[in-house]
Structures are given as structure tokens and as C-alpha cells.
Amino acid sequence: MNRSRRIDPFSAAALRYHVPLLVGIVVCVAAGWFELSRAREGHTVAWVYAVEWPGFAVTGIVIWWRILTGRDGTRPSGPAADSREGDPSPDDPGLVAWRQYLSDIQAREQASEVD
């Protein structure tokens, strides 16, 4: 099932994504500016924050764009996606070995409970 859908950026529903984005960008730019001023005053750790806050703003923009365009990170559905999913065949050597391993562990646990 593909849950991705495109959102019209000019719709009222998109407003719930635009407002937090704008607030977040303003906060990130203000915090970055504050940290840049602190870094120029000699606080060496503030240089990291001066770069980090604009990075948060860019990350928010990328997430906002992916939500609006419908690229939410889910795997696509269809014949190509279905061929990669599903149960392995019962005669898969790895699956047979795993089942044997589990049955050996279960037999050891049952033997230790009896003693």
C-alpha cells in the first residue's frame, strides 16, 4: 500500500505544515545568529552551534518538502516491491538451519527443566 500523496501547497490543509516551518526557520536563524555573535566574542564551542542551527532549518525544509511532495520515505507498492517481500521458500537452506538451531535450543531447555 502506498500511503504517499501530494499536498497542494496552496490549500488550507497545507497551512498546518507551513506555519510550523516558518516558526522553526525563524527560531533556527535567530539561534544561529545568537551563537554566531557568541562565537565572535571568543566562545569556541559556539562555532559548532552557529553551524548547527542553520542545519536544523535546512533539515526542516527538507522534511517539509518531502511531506508536500508525497515522498514520505515509505516503500513503493506494486509488482516490483511485492517481489522483494514475502516469506522465503520453506526449503531455503538458511531457514532450515535456523529452524534446526531453534529446535536444538528448545530441546536443551526442555532437558534442563527435566533435570
Side-chain angles (χ1 to χ4, degrees):
M1 169 170 62
N2 191 357
R3 295 178 290 168
S4 300
R5 63 181 180 94
R6 190 175 189 87
I7 298 173
D8 180 21
F10 302 107
S11 68
L15 191 63
R16 67 181 181 172
Y17 300 111
H18 297 328
V19 171
L21 173 74
L22 293 176
V23 170
I25 288 174
V26 168
V27 168
C28 288
V29 168
W33 187 265
F34 171 73
E35 292 297 342
L36 183 62
S37 67
R38 288 191 58 205
R40 288 183 177 172
E41 293 172 358
H43 299 278
T44 55
V45 175
W47 283 108
V48 175
Y49 298 127
V51 173
E52 188 177 48
W53 282 106
F56 289 149
V58 169
T59 302
I61 292 170
V62 169
I63 291 170
W64 168 81
W65 181 254
R66 289 184 68 162
I67 288 171
L68 287 183
T69 59
R71 297 183 202 141
D72 60 356
T74 59
R75 292 175 46 186
S77 63
D82 293 339
S83 66
R84 293 182 300 236
E85 295 177 2
D87 295 329
S89 67
D91 57 341
D92 179 23
L95 182 60
V96 170
W98 177 251
R99 288 181 177 156
Q100 181 63 42
Y101 171 73
L102 291 178
S103 66
D104 291 345
I105 290 175
Q106 186 178 16
R108 273 189 251 135
E109 286 179 355
Q110 289 176 351
S112 66
E113 289 176 2
V114 172
D115 293 338

